Amino acid sequence: MPPRAPRIRIVLTVRQELVLRKVVDEYLQAGVPVGSKLLAEEVEWGPSTIRGELASLEELGLLAHPHTSAGRIPTEAGYRYFVDRLLASGAPENPPRLSLSLVRRELDEAMRVTTETLSQVTNLLAIVTAPPIETSTIRHIEVLLLQPQVLMVVVITSTGGVTKRVFTFAQPVDPGLAHWAASYLNERLVGLGLGARIIHQRIHDPSLSAIEMNFLDALAPVFTELEQLAEATLYVEGTARLLQFDRLGDVSQLQSVMDMLERRVTLIGVLRSALLERGVLVRIGAENDAPALRSLALVAASYGLPQRSLGTVSVIGPMRMDYGRAIRSVRDAASQLSSFITEVYDER
């Protein structure tokens, strides 16, 4: 998805900006149209002056006037103006920071902690994409004989990931063969990237006996599955929060979002645009290319190494979301995850 979010070129007066900010703040908090009477209680102008400004903002396309109410609600353009022009100036001086406990965790657990914490803090759907497969290498391999006919292969990656696979054989396994396989696989595969095509070539050697070759062929699927798992790793938390119908438009919209979550490849493609952004990416409503997101809002940021982005941290929710909290939380999570990733990669 190429960056194409429109930046509002409208220039508002100071008073119009204040009215717009008040309407957005009140609507985000209460979820009901905001009328001039309520605004008059918070500012020094009379109701007629406020009504005039509300009408002007509506003509500019920043506010909408639901037919069932005399109040106004923000439009997608109104939210965009609020995010681009008003949010930073109205942010608290010392906003609460998102705090993640990632020290001494494996990569998989760190990703889960990040996703769970982000969803809890924002009350939104949180998604974290794992680093791409080519950024991880094989660090160590164990071949453990659990029972005479049951063997487990453990693969540890450079990013701290652990994959285990249990194999059951028709005949008892020679302990010496299992010990040999562990030494051989470590010698041949440690340091290779998970997605390297050479892995399968390195497992086989013409000098091996038929027994050794057949045994390695039986264990080979653990490395194939390692590639497949690494390619599809996506951490999602807070799906139940999208089941709140008062925050989503209708059941069909909810179904579209659920379908997108099931098609993880589509979702990863949606989030990939955040890898190109230096800061936090915000997409509101129709700015999203994915049809399932065109009545929602997406806030995302990339994390990774100083010289390379490796993945994304994001939240998805209704357009009526607390943008200030969402942006700060996503930025904090991406920053802390980047620090964690840098430490992990430095230990390679």
Side-chain angles (χ1 to χ4, degrees):
M1 179 175 65
R4 65 183 186 98
R7 290 299 181 261
I8 300 299
R9 295 184 174 86
I10 299 171
V11 178
L12 300 181
T13 65
V14 173
R15 186 159 63 186
Q16 288 173 332
E17 287 193 345
L18 178 58
V19 171
L20 178 61
R21 182 198 299 278
K22 291 291 185 181
V23 171
V24 174
D25 286 341
E26 290 290 342
Y27 184 66
L28 292 181
Q29 181 176 354
V32 296
V34 182
S36 57
K37 182 178 180 180
L38 176 62
L39 294 176
E41 297 174 357
E42 301 185 10
V43 296
E44 59 185 12
W45 316 305
S48 60
T49 301
I50 295 175
R51 283 195 295 271
E53 297 294 8
L54 289 174
S56 297
L57 292 170
E58 185 175 355
E59 291 177 1
L60 292 171
L62 302 179
L63 297 179
H65 192 175
H67 66 278
T68 56
S69 170
R72 265 76 167 187
I73 64 174
T75 63
E76 293 181 19
Y79 282 126
R80 172 53 64 186
Y81 192 102
F82 176 79
V83 170
D84 290 349
R85 304 278 184 86
L86 305 181
L87 194 55
S89 61
E93 293 184 4
N94 296 301
R97 299 292 302 274
L98 180 74
S99 178
L100 299 176
S101 177
L102 304 180
V103 179
R104 290 187 296 276
R105 293 184 184 272
E106 298 291 352
L107 178 65
D108 179 74
E109 189 180 5
M111 295 287 175
R112 294 186 189 281
V113 168
T114 301
T115 311
E116 292 171 0
T117 304
L118 189 58
S119 179
Q120 291 171 1
V121 169
T122 62
N123 197 32
L124 300 169
L125 174 71
I127 304 171
V128 175
T129 61
I133 183 173
E134 63 270 15
T135 64
S136 297
T137 60
I138 297 174
R139 175 181 287 174
H140 184 70
I141 301 167
E142 289 280 356
V143 180
L144 307 173
L145 196 58
L146 304 180
Q147 298 176 21
Q149 295 174 236
V150 180
L151 178 146
M152 181 171 67
V153 178
V154 180
V155 182
I156 303 173
T157 71
S158 59
T159 53
V162 177
T163 297
K164 296 178 288 187
R165 171 74 185 270
V166 176
F167 298 88
T168 302
F169 294 84
Q171 302 294 329
V173 177
D174 180 355
L177 183 61
H179 179 74
W180 167 84
S183 298
Y184 177 84
L185 290 171
N186 276 289
E187 178 184 347
R188 303 285 289 183
L189 301 184
V190 167
L192 293 181
L194 299 185
R197 295 181 179 179
I198 198 174
I199 281 182
H200 301 289
Q201 300 173 9
R202 294 292 293 273
I203 290 178
H204 297 91
D205 188 316
S207 66
L208 297 178
S209 67
I211 293 178
E212 293 170 335
M213 187 75 76
N214 290 337
F215 188 62
L216 292 175
D217 283 342
L219 304 183
V222 70
F223 301 102
T224 302
E225 292 182 2
L226 194 62
E227 289 185 34
Q228 294 172 345
L229 287 172
E231 289 177 329
T233 302
L234 190 70
Y235 300 85
V236 179
E237 183 68 30
T239 304
R241 292 181 168 91
L242 286 180
L243 301 179
Q244 303 173 31
F245 291 125
D246 62 317
R247 303 180 73 198
L248 287 181
D250 52 44
V251 177
S252 61
Q253 174 192 343
L254 178 64
Q255 184 61 49
S256 296
V257 177
M258 295 299 106
D259 290 344
M260 186 186 67
L261 291 176
E262 291 181 8
R263 295 193 302 272
R264 296 200 164 198
V265 174
T266 302
L267 187 54
I268 290 174
V270 168
L271 300 175
R272 193 165 292 149
S273 60
L275 294 173
L276 305 175
E277 294 284 324
R278 292 185 178 181
V280 178
L281 173 76
V282 180
R283 291 285 181 267
I284 302 172
E287 296 170 5
N288 291 293
D289 280 355
L293 297 180
R294 287 180 183 162
S295 57
L296 301 173
L298 165 72
V299 179
S302 65
Y303 71 86
L305 303 172
Q307 69 278 12
R308 182 183 180 189
S309 295
L310 298 178
T312 60
V313 176
S314 61
V315 293
I316 295 174
M319 285 188 284
R320 188 176 69 83
M321 71 162 63
D322 186 337
Y323 288 96
R325 173 178 293 182
I327 292 171
R328 288 194 303 271
S329 299
V330 165
R331 182 187 293 117
D332 287 348
S335 175
Q336 294 177 56
L337 199 51
S338 293
S339 297
F340 171 82
I341 288 289
T342 300
E343 292 179 3
V344 169
Y345 277 68
D346 285 344
E347 294 174 357
R348 284 185 175 186

